[in-house]
Amino acid sequence: MSIYKAYDIRGKVPGELDENLARRIGWAIGTFLGARQMAVGRDVRRHSPGITDALCAGLAQAGVRVSDLGIVTTPLTNFAVGLKGLDGGVMVTASHNPSEYNGFKICRAGAVPVFDAEIRKIGELAEKAPPGKPLPADARQALDIKGEIVSRVVARAKTGGRRLKVVADLSSGAATSLTPLVLKRLPHDFEILNGEPDGRFPSHPPDPLKEENLEQAREAIRSRKADLGAVFDGDADRVVFIDEKGNTVTGDLATLLIALDLVSASGEKKPAVFYDVRCSRVVREELARAGADPRLCRVG
């Protein structure tokens, strides 16, 4: 049960997680959620295709039809669940962990995360999974919604009338499947680092919270006199920004800047904004000043 964490399922392949266990976990997820149709995406790790195939076979055993997104980011998997009104989604990824790890991030309808006791329940169910069966041909269909999410992101972009020089480090991860499609439609000059998918993560580990993994981007910002840098993690649900001097923008200030933009675009009178316990007091104060309803939540 050690692979069943608070927010995901994660372990080393094949020692802690293999295709047989992935199939049983797929059956457990489908059974626990009572799902009939779910989205499945995967990152670029070398074992992700096999783990994904096994997961889909298990989901099919539980009566789930799979909308296969292919190599995508975790946010895109969640977006697919909401956009298509699906019963849930699974992203095959180990996020920011080293290349020998893999696992699953799970959400239910509405892209609401499955976590804590629910994940442990899935682990207990997986122990009771029936023997494997071949995946029916009609149980897994490809679904491509990259164009839809790119269009929505680009439609919200505001340039302020200034052309920026930006360094984007995709960390050889899942961001390589989506971010370039967005950047080519924005009126700025982008320098892409580690833009080819490689599950070995040859340039640096896909964890931007570790300062040493930002050095390549920092050097590029300084040498090219860029205005901004962004470094993504392995499944692109985490990004760290770097300013024009090579300084890391703290996570709470990045949260605040993004939240203020969303609040200004919201049609609600007092939109709720969640911030976690690591944030400095300025986040709560500025959100309240902007007319939002700041709400404290746990990390993760």
Side-chain angles (χ1 to χ4, degrees):
M1 292 293 291
S2 63
I3 68 171
Y4 300 96
K5 314 293 185 181
Y7 303 114
D8 61 7
I9 300 170
R10 180 175 13 100
K12 289 185 177 181
V13 179
E16 296 174 308
L17 174 64
D18 59 17
E19 292 181 12
N20 178 52
L21 180 53
R23 179 194 61 79
R24 291 191 280 120
I25 289 172
W27 177 85
I29 291 171
T31 300
F32 177 75
L33 293 179
R36 288 294 168 261
Q37 187 165 3
M38 296 183 67
V40 172
R42 69 178 189 272
D43 69 11
V44 303
R45 295 167 194 269
R46 291 172 290 173
H47 25 68
S48 286
I51 294 291
T52 301
D53 290 346
L55 172 81
C56 291
L59 287 170
Q61 278 188 272
V64 178
R65 297 189 308 278
V66 174
S67 296
D68 187 351
L69 304 172
I71 296 176
V72 293
T73 66
T74 292
L76 189 144
T77 299
N78 294 336
F79 176 76
V81 172
L83 182 72
K84 297 299 182 180
L86 305 181
D87 300 318
V90 183
M91 178 69 180
V92 178
T93 183
S95 189
H96 57 280
N97 287 273
S99 60
E100 64 268 26
Y101 285 83
N102 217 324
F104 311 105
K105 292 182 177 179
I106 310 161
C107 68
R108 54 165 46 86
V112 175
V114 172
F115 63 99
D116 267 3
E118 296 177 316
I119 288 181
R120 290 192 292 274
K121 178 63 176 177
I122 287 171
E124 293 167 0
L125 277 175
E127 298 298 315
K128 305 172 184 177
K133 293 181 180 179
L135 178 67
D138 61 349
R140 183 181 182 184
Q141 302 294 328
L143 174 62
D144 185 356
I145 61 165
K146 291 178 183 176
E148 290 165 276
I149 194 170
V150 169
S151 295
R152 294 196 185 200
V153 170
V154 172
R156 278 191 45 77
K158 300 174 185 177
T159 66
R162 182 182 173 198
R163 190 176 186 91
L164 299 176
K165 186 180 294 185
V166 183
V167 172
D169 186 347
L170 310 188
S171 301
S172 305
T176 61
S177 70
L178 184 65
T179 302
L181 302 178
V182 175
L183 301 188
K184 68 173 56 175
R185 292 180 55 182
L186 298 177
H188 300 298
D189 299 316
F190 292 97
E191 172 81 15
I192 295 180
L193 307 178
N194 305 309
E196 294 297 323
D198 190 335
R200 299 169 299 173
F201 308 114
S203 295
H204 59 74
D207 185 357
L209 294 189
K210 293 184 177 180
E211 288 290 319
E212 62 267 26
N213 297 332
L214 306 178
E215 282 305 314
Q216 187 180 4
R218 281 203 184 97
E219 177 57 34
I221 290 168
R222 296 189 186 107
S223 64
R224 294 159 176 78
K225 295 182 170 55
D227 300 293
L228 175 70
V231 184
F232 293 87
D233 77 337
D235 61 330
D237 68 350
R238 177 179 294 175
V239 62
V240 168
F241 297 105
I242 305 171
D243 71 15
E244 75 280 4
K245 296 180 180 179
N247 299 318
T248 303
V249 179
T250 60
D252 60 342
L253 292 183
T255 294
L256 178 59
L257 288 171
I258 294 169
L260 289 174
D261 178 60
L262 293 173
V263 168
S264 69
S266 173
E268 298 180 31
K269 185 176 180 180
K270 196 172 185 179
V273 179
F274 291 88
Y275 66 99
D276 73 38
V277 297
R278 298 171 298 182
C279 289
S280 55
R281 191 169 57 195
V282 69
V283 174
R284 173 176 53 80
E285 293 174 349
E286 291 301 316
L287 286 172
R289 194 191 311 273
D293 174 17
R295 300 185 186 182
L296 187 66
C297 68
R298 59 188 282 188
V299 174

